[in-house]
Amino acid sequence: MSKETLDLWFDTACPWAWMTSRWGLEVAKVRDVEVKFHPMSLNFLNRDKDIPEDYRALMNRALAPMRIVTAAIAEHGEEIAEPLYTAIGTRIHPGGEKDFEKAVSEALAELQLPADLMKYGETDHYDAQLQASHDEALSLVGDDVGTPICRVAGTAFFGPVVTPAPKGEDAGRLFDGVLAVASTPGFFELKRTRDQGPNFD
C-alpha cells in the first residue's frame, strides 16, 4: 500500500494553520503519511477585500515572513519548508512573539540559514513563486476560504480547524476521518461555529 501524502498550505501569521500543521506532524507519527508544507499568503488572499483595519495591518505584516519562507524554499529546497515554518511559528504562536521580523530572523539563525534571506521580505523577488503556490491551493478549494488548506487522496479542503492539535492516536483518528470524507465523491463541507480560540498547549 502506497504512503498517503498530506499537503498543507500555511501562512505563518495564522494560528489555525499552526494548529493544523501540528496535527499533521502528529499524523505522520502514527500513520503511513508524508506531510508536505506549501506557502500561501493571507495578504494576497485579502488584498482586494473589505476587511477591518486592524486585520489589514496584520495582513500587511504577514507578507514579509511568507516572502522570506518562499525565498528559503526556492534557494534551499522544499525540505526546508517544515523546519522553517516550525521555527517561525513556535515563536509567533505558543511563544507569543508579535515582532514577526524578530521571529523570522531568529528562526533563520536556529536553522543556520543565511541571514541575507531577510532582504527578501521587502522585495517582490519571489512573489511569483509565492503566488503560484497560493493559487494552487485556491484552485483546489475556491477563493472563499483562508488557511489552513489541506489535500489528501486528491481532494482538498479548508481545515481541519481544530484546537488543541490532537496528538498520538487521536491525531490518527482525525486523519482517518479526513481521508474518509476526501474519498467520498461529492463531499464538500462539515462546519460549526467556533466557540474557543487556539490552544497551543
Side-chain angles (χ1 to χ4, degrees):
M1 187 174 179
S2 61
K3 177 178 286 195
E4 290 284 354
T5 298
L6 175 62
D7 291 291
L8 296 174
W9 279 264
F10 68 92
D11 184 306
T12 54
C14 179
W16 297 106
W18 175 254
M19 305 302 292
T20 302
S21 73
R22 300 310 95 182
W23 161 72
L25 293 175
E26 284 290 313
V27 169
K29 298 175 183 177
V30 295
R31 296 291 186 271
D32 192 18
V33 171
E34 179 182 13
V35 184
K36 295 184 178 180
F37 287 84
H38 312 276
M40 66 178 293
S41 173
L42 289 172
N43 179 283
F44 290 179
L45 184 70
N46 292 286
R47 188 167 284 174
D48 299 320
K49 294 181 179 177
D50 183 16
I51 58 176
E53 283 306 309
D54 58 341
Y55 191 61
R56 175 76 62 196
L58 175 61
M59 294 302 93
N60 290 339
R61 291 173 51 229
L63 179 56
M66 292 314 301
R67 283 174 160 173
I68 295 165
V69 167
T70 305
I73 293 169
E75 297 188 2
H76 298 274
E78 292 181 357
E79 64 275 6
I80 202 63
E82 183 276 315
L84 183 54
Y85 177 34
T86 291
I88 296 170
T90 297
R91 288 167 169 82
I92 291 174
H93 299 298
E97 180 59 69
K98 303 299 184 188
D99 184 340
F100 290 177
E101 183 177 358
K102 181 173 184 284
V104 175
S105 179
E106 290 180 352
L108 293 176
E110 176 187 328
L111 297 177
Q112 299 182 318
L113 289 167
D116 190 48
L117 285 168
M118 291 295 295
K119 70 184 180 186
Y120 293 114
E122 303 306 317
T123 77
D124 62 1
H125 189 82
Y126 285 108
D127 278 13
Q129 288 92 326
L130 177 55
Q131 187 75 59
S133 183
H134 177 90
D135 289 347
E136 180 185 8
L138 295 190
S139 74
L140 298 169
V141 296
D143 61 3
D144 60 343
V145 301
T147 55
I149 290 171
C150 80
R151 176 175 59 190
V152 65
T155 300
F157 299 108
F158 169 68
V161 176
V162 60
T163 187
K167 294 180 172 58
E169 187 56 26
D170 288 340
R173 280 193 293 270
L174 176 56
F175 176 78
D176 296 342
V178 172
L179 183 59
V181 297
S183 303
T184 302
F187 179 86
F188 292 103
E189 185 173 5
L190 281 171
K191 188 170 184 178
R192 64 178 180 150
T193 300
R194 300 175 203 172
D195 60 5
Q196 59 180 304
N199 177 351
F200 301 122
D201 291 343

